[in-house]
Amino acid sequence: MIRVILPAHLRALARVDGEVRLEVAEPVTQRSVLDALEARYPVLRGTIRGHDGGPRRAFMRFFACELDLSHEQPDAPLPGPVAAGAEPYLIVGAMAGG
């Protein structure tokens, strides 16, 4: 069971409280987690990455095990603790401004 933590605005959009738990087949990658998340919550399609499952949207960041995975390849395996459900996969809405 993969644990995913969404930013508040996406939790509200998907109407979930707290973290999301997803069944994801091996190998556990960013792409497979996001595919499972969008399959379970279709309203999130296009909010985290392109509608076609393409690259992440601007100002969206991905973290796991205190590592910034935002620029990693989508099909690279996630860290073992995330795949085992011991650590969460975090999706964070980055902030910008002057």
Side-chain angles (χ1 to χ4, degrees):
M1 190 68 70
I2 305 301
R3 298 166 45 209
V4 179
I5 297 178
L6 297 168
H9 69 285
L10 294 181
R11 284 195 314 267
L13 184 62
R15 298 181 183 204
V16 297
D17 292 321
E19 68 184 27
V20 174
R21 293 178 181 263
L22 301 168
E23 288 288 339
V24 178
E26 295 283 336
V28 178
T29 65
Q30 290 191 79
R31 184 184 315 275
S32 65
V33 170
L34 294 176
D35 286 348
L37 183 66
E38 291 173 349
R40 185 163 171 195
Y41 301 101
V43 69
L44 294 179
R45 217 171 265 135
T47 62
I48 300 168
R49 58 186 180 166
H51 285 281
D52 60 353
R56 70 179 168 87
R57 295 184 62 77
F59 301 108
M60 296 305 292
R61 304 295 292 223
F62 308 125
F63 295 89
C65 300
E66 300 182 21
L67 300 171
D68 183 350
L69 304 176
S70 304
H71 298 290
E72 296 293 319
Q73 293 298 316
D75 293 319
L78 288 176
V82 174
E87 291 287 330
Y89 177 71
L90 290 88
I91 299 172
V92 178
M95 297 177 73

